[in-house]
Structures are given as C-alpha cells and as structure tokens.
Amino acid sequence: MSDDKQPTFTLINNQTGEESILPVVEGTYGPHCIDVRKLYSQTGYFTFDPSFTATGSCKSKITYIDGDEGILLHRGYNIKELAVKSTYMEVCHLLLHGELPNEAELKEFSGHITNHTMVHEQVKSVYQGFRRDAHPMAIMCGVVGTMAAFYHDSLDIWDPEQRRISAHRLIAKMPTMAAMALKYSKGQPYVYPRNDLTYAENFLHMCFSVPAEEYKLRPPVVRAMERILILHADHEQNASTSTVRLAGSSQANPMACIASGITSLWGPAHGGANQSVLEMLDEIGDKKNIPEFIKRAKDKEDPFRLMGFGHRVYKNFDPRAEIMRESCHEVLEELGINDPQLELAMELEKIALEDPYFIDRKLFPNVDFYSGIILKAMGFPVEMFTVLFAVSRTAGWISQWKEMMEEKSLRIGRPRQLYTGEAERPYVEVSKRK
Ligand code: SDX
C-alpha cells in the first residue's frame, strides 16, 4: 500500500477489478503529473497520447509557461522583464547556467561567445554546394550538422568541458552561418564577425554590410533585434526542443542534435509560421478580404489556418506576441515606415478576437504573428525569418540538451505505439498473388 502522505492515483480495470496505484509527482508550478513509468509493468497497458497533449516528457528547471494566464518565465524571470531589461547574452547565460550573470560573469561569457563567432574557412565550401536559390533553412539544416565534421575536439558528450565549448560554439556560430546563408542567396561576399560589436550588432553587421559600405547600426533596429532574440530563446518542450532532446537521448553529438531541432522548427505549424504569416498577409492583401479568410480558417474542409494564431499551451495572449506588437509600432515609427501590413495584421487580430470560433477555442496571436513585420522592416527577406528563430532558439535547445545530459541517468527516448495493422498472415508467392 502507498504512504497516505504521498499523493497517488488509483486506476481500476473495470473488467477485472484490478487496481494499480500510481504516484503523483509535483513541480513548482503547473499541473502535477501521474508517474506512469511503472504502468506497463503493473498493468500490461501503455498510455496513448499521440501528439503529447497531456504528457510530461521530462523534468526541467529552465522555462515555465502558464498558458491560461499568458505567463512565460525563464528560470523564474518573467519574459516581459527580460525582453526590456536584459541582453540576449544575459538570457543565454540564464538559460544555460540558471542565473542572470553579474558583470564579471557577463563579460567572461560574452567573451567566450565572441571568440567563437568565426567559422572554419572550409565551411564556405559547404555553402558552395547549394543552389543560390535554396531556402536558407535548407542550408542551415545542412551546415549546422556539418559542424560535427569540423569541431571534433568538442564532441565528447560525457566531458562537461567539451559540452561547454560546444554550447558556446553553437550559440556563437549560428548568427555567422545564418548571415552566410543570406549572403550566399544574394551572391554577396560573406562578412566576417567583428569582436567589437555586441551579438545583435554583429548579426546585423554580417547580414547587411557589404565590402563597399559598412552597415549603419541604428539603435531602434539593434534594440528590436535584441528583443527578437530574447523572445524566441526558449519555450519548454515545444516540437523542436523535444526533437533535440530525443536526438540527444541517443547520445548523438550536440551539433547533430541542434541540426535536428532546426529541421523540426522549419515546419509552418511551428517556427515556419513567421514566414507563413507574411505570406498570408500578402494573400489577404486588403482589409476588405479579411472576412473571406476568417471564413476559410473556420472551414474544416479548407486546409487554410490563420497563421500566427493559436497555440498548444497558450489559451490566452502569448506574452511574446504582446511585446512583439509593441516593438512593431516602435520600430516602424522610429524608422519612419508606414507598413500597411501592420494595419492589416491589427485589423485581422481585432476581427478574429471578436469571432466566437476563435474565442471558444481560445485562439490568440502567438509569437509569430507580429515578428515578421518587424523583420521585414529591418530588411530581412521572408525566407530568413525562421532562420532567425533558429539562431535565437539555439540557446534554448542547447540549454535543454545540457540539462538532459547532466541528469544522473540518460536513457534513450523510445515511445511505444497502438498497433492497428494486419494480424500475422501466411506469405504468398508472387505468382499466386491476385
Ligand atoms: C510556435 O509549442 C511551442 O511552444 C511553439 C512556439 C515556440 O516558441 O516554440 O510557441 C512557436 O510554433 C508558435 C505556433 C506557430 N504556428 C502557427 O501560428 C500555425 C497556426 N496555428 C495552428 O497550426 C495551431 O494553433 C497550432 C499548431 C499552433 C497548435 O495546434 P494544436 O494545439 O494541435 O491545436 P488544434 O489544431 O488541436 O486546434 C484546436 C482547434 C481546432 O478546431 P476544432 O477541431 O476544435 O474545431 O482550434 C482550431 C483547430 O482547427 N485552430 C485553428 C487554428 N489553430 C487551431 N483554426 C484556425 N486557425 C488557426 N491558426
């Protein structure tokens, strides 16, 4: 019998009357979990939760989302404070090490990252293999994976020092490789990183400087880039982070794991939504067409979805979307840009949030709804939007990977299934098949 103080769930098989007592595990916040690790050995049954709507895949101290209240915390700090008061380097340190750095720690951490921003010169030859019109996410899937072919001295996943160097290399080199993907698509020469610039400044410099003219760093744009990097850094066990953890559970090296995260993020249901939002706004074109698209979004026969709306966890405003919307106004105003797509987006948001279909399903704008408008104003082509998401999320991915690697017992993730295929049947020679 279980200890009365220990919360448990008792499962009763209504056909046999058999009882199974399962322990409940509790966290700091959020739903408690029924620990089903012994369910199969006790009952011979699996749980069934195909898209993990009610499954906790791990314990984590990094990020917490309260979907009903629209709250996002990184190591206990509210995203609304981090986005306004911190730099991305501070948030990277927070995600990786659990604390905001003091001045000395920030200087040392930023220095490590700065010293790893260049890539091996032969990485350039990897880019040469792609078509100039390749989607930059396709390029990133490739080149990030090839980092394992260049940085052999930091692939031992059991060595904490090599894990640390790999984490720094990945955070540091993602902007360089992303900028190289942009330059490659434009047929422009690559721009080397500069050690005198901040992370956000360096990324803008590598993306937009040309040999003939240095990119002029404008404070509103730099601030917006810093904020976008912070807002996309981590988000609990989303699809791409879960992909990174599953890849890491097989003891794959961190470069390969991050490459797997990039592939998962690319999907329009996930990180690819920021590109899809802009394409959707282009398709809507004018406020007068909004009702037709709202109708399509509600039509189950129509695959069209309102991109940038809805979320598995948030059943309230995504706090990142609120911050992004504020930044949209700031950046466009400071740059003197009057983008009709912002007006269109705001009208679409207003109409959708008054529609019972969206209200009943608690569908609100998510982080992707406004980000593309800012990125477009900053000069990024729409194909680069998800690449920027990947640059930022690398900090979260590698922090979650590090957390998993530091657990006492790393076990390979290996879900089971409900088999609904054919029962065993006799083999039929090809000459006898109908
Ligand atoms: C990100 O997980 C994360 O944390 C992700 C992320 C992160 O930081 O890592 O936050 C980043 O991926 C944000 C989400 C970006 N994706 C989009 O904006 C694409 C559009 N959104 C949808 O595809 C959808 O809302 C999802 C994928 C985001 C969530 O899908 P769920 O949780 O599986 O929800 P669902 O499909 O079960 O929807 C529930 C209902 C359904 O209607 P009913 O069957 O109940 O009648 O809501 C409807 C859906 O049809 N619905 C939508 C809709 N999203 C859900 N209807 C129209 N337009 C939408 N966008």
Side-chain angles (χ1 to χ4, degrees), residues 36-109:
V36 294
R37 284 176 289 184
K38 292 196 167 39
L39 179 72
Y40 180 56
S41 61
Q42 283 181 11
T43 68
Y45 283 76
F46 292 152
T47 59
F48 186 66
D49 185 11
S51 54
F52 310 127
T53 49
T55 293
S57 61
C58 63
K59 288 182 180 177
S60 181
K61 301 178 188 297
I62 299 175
T63 292
Y64 173 69
I65 302 168
D66 182 328
D68 294 329
E69 298 302 320
I71 292 171
L72 169 57
L73 305 178
H74 290 317
R75 303 283 190 176
Y77 293 98
N78 193 302
I79 192 65
K80 292 190 172 178
E81 289 201 272
L82 292 171
V84 174
K85 298 175 182 171
S86 274
T87 63
Y88 180 63
M89 284 293 98
E90 287 178 89
V91 172
C92 288
H93 186 283
L94 177 66
L95 293 172
L96 273 170
H97 303 297
E99 297 297 339
L100 285 168
N102 61 34
E103 285 179 355
E105 289 163 337
L106 180 58
K107 187 166 183 289
E108 183 190 10
F109 180 77

Side-chain angles (χ1 to χ4, degrees), residues 32 104 117 157 165 170 173 208 269 287 289 300 302 318 353:
H32 302 330
T117 48
I157 61 172
I165 295 171
L170 282 157
K173 297 179 196 301
F208 297 118
K287 289 181 186 177
N289 302 324
K300 298 303 171 198
D302 188 330
D318 178 338
L353 295 183

Side-chain angles (χ1 to χ4, degrees), residues 63 72-74 77-95 100 106 199-200 203 222-235 314 318-321 323-324 327 367 375 388-396:
T63 292
L72 169 57
L73 305 178
H74 290 317
Y77 293 98
N78 193 302
I79 192 65
K80 292 190 172 178
E81 289 201 272
L82 292 171
V84 174
K85 298 175 182 171
S86 274
T87 63
Y88 180 63
M89 284 293 98
E90 287 178 89
V91 172
C92 288
H93 186 283
L94 177 66
L95 293 172
L100 285 168
L106 180 58
Y199 192 93
F203 183 48
V222 175
R223 211 170 35 250
M225 176 51 66
E226 196 83 54
R227 199 169 285 184
I228 286 170
L229 290 166
I230 292 169
L231 290 174
H232 289 82
D234 192 53
H235 214 238
Y314 288 121
D318 178 338
R320 303 168 298 175
I323 301 166
M324 205 69 85
S327 296
V367 67
L375 294 173
L388 271 78
F389 198 148
V391 169
S392 165
R393 186 54 59 90
T394 295

